[in-house]
Amino acid sequence: MRGVSFRYAGGSEILKDVNFSLPRGQLAFLFGASGAGKSTLLKLLGLIERPSRGEVTVNGVDLAKLRKRQVPAFRRQVGMVFQNPALLHRRS
């Protein structure tokens, strides 16, 4: 992420000028207070949201340049588990 900012429509700026880099093969833990922008940052990495400003690059791919039809293939490279997953309703 380079200079990434995000603002929900009609809302306040959630992320402002975020710069973040993680080398291939490395792990990171993201934590912070409620409302700090953790979920929003992850949504940007998974192309669930798009930044208001800045550049998001994953595996050398500038996400702003991906067309809508390319998004599913990109998402197969990114794993994400939400706090309250609802993928299989009959499973715990």
Side-chain angles (χ1 to χ4, degrees), residues 17-36:
D17 197 30
V18 173
N19 294 291
F20 172 73
S21 175
L22 188 66
R24 186 180 300 266
Q26 296 295 307
L27 297 175
F29 296 89
L30 182 61
F31 59 94
S34 180

Side-chain angles (χ1 to χ4, degrees), residues 31-52:
F31 59 94
S34 180
K38 302 176 299 291
S39 295
T40 301
L41 187 138
L42 293 173
K43 287 178 182 180
L44 293 172
L45 290 172
L47 275 174
I48 296 168
E49 297 284 358
R50 302 270 184 160
S52 303

Side-chain angles (χ1 to χ4, degrees), residues 2-86:
R2 191 174 315 158
V4 171
S5 295
F6 183 84
R7 176 186 304 269
Y8 283 103
S12 60
E13 198 165 44
I14 303 299
L15 300 174
K16 185 175 182 181
D17 197 30
V18 173
N19 294 291
F20 172 73
S21 175
L22 188 66
R24 186 180 300 266
Q26 296 295 307
L27 297 175
F29 296 89
L30 182 61
F31 59 94
S34 180
K38 302 176 299 291
S39 295
T40 301
L41 187 138
L42 293 173
K43 287 178 182 180
L44 293 172
L45 290 172
L47 275 174
I48 296 168
E49 297 284 358
R50 302 270 184 160
S52 303
R53 287 191 317 269
E55 178 182 305
V56 179
T57 304
V58 176
N59 291 335
V61 176
D62 181 353
L63 300 189
K65 294 181 180 176
L66 287 180
R67 295 179 182 210
K68 195 171 185 173
R69 63 182 168 80
Q70 296 173 303
V71 171
F74 166 77
R75 285 186 179 149
R76 285 192 284 274
Q77 300 175 46
V78 177
M80 192 178 300
V81 178
F82 292 94
Q83 182 173 347
N84 296 315

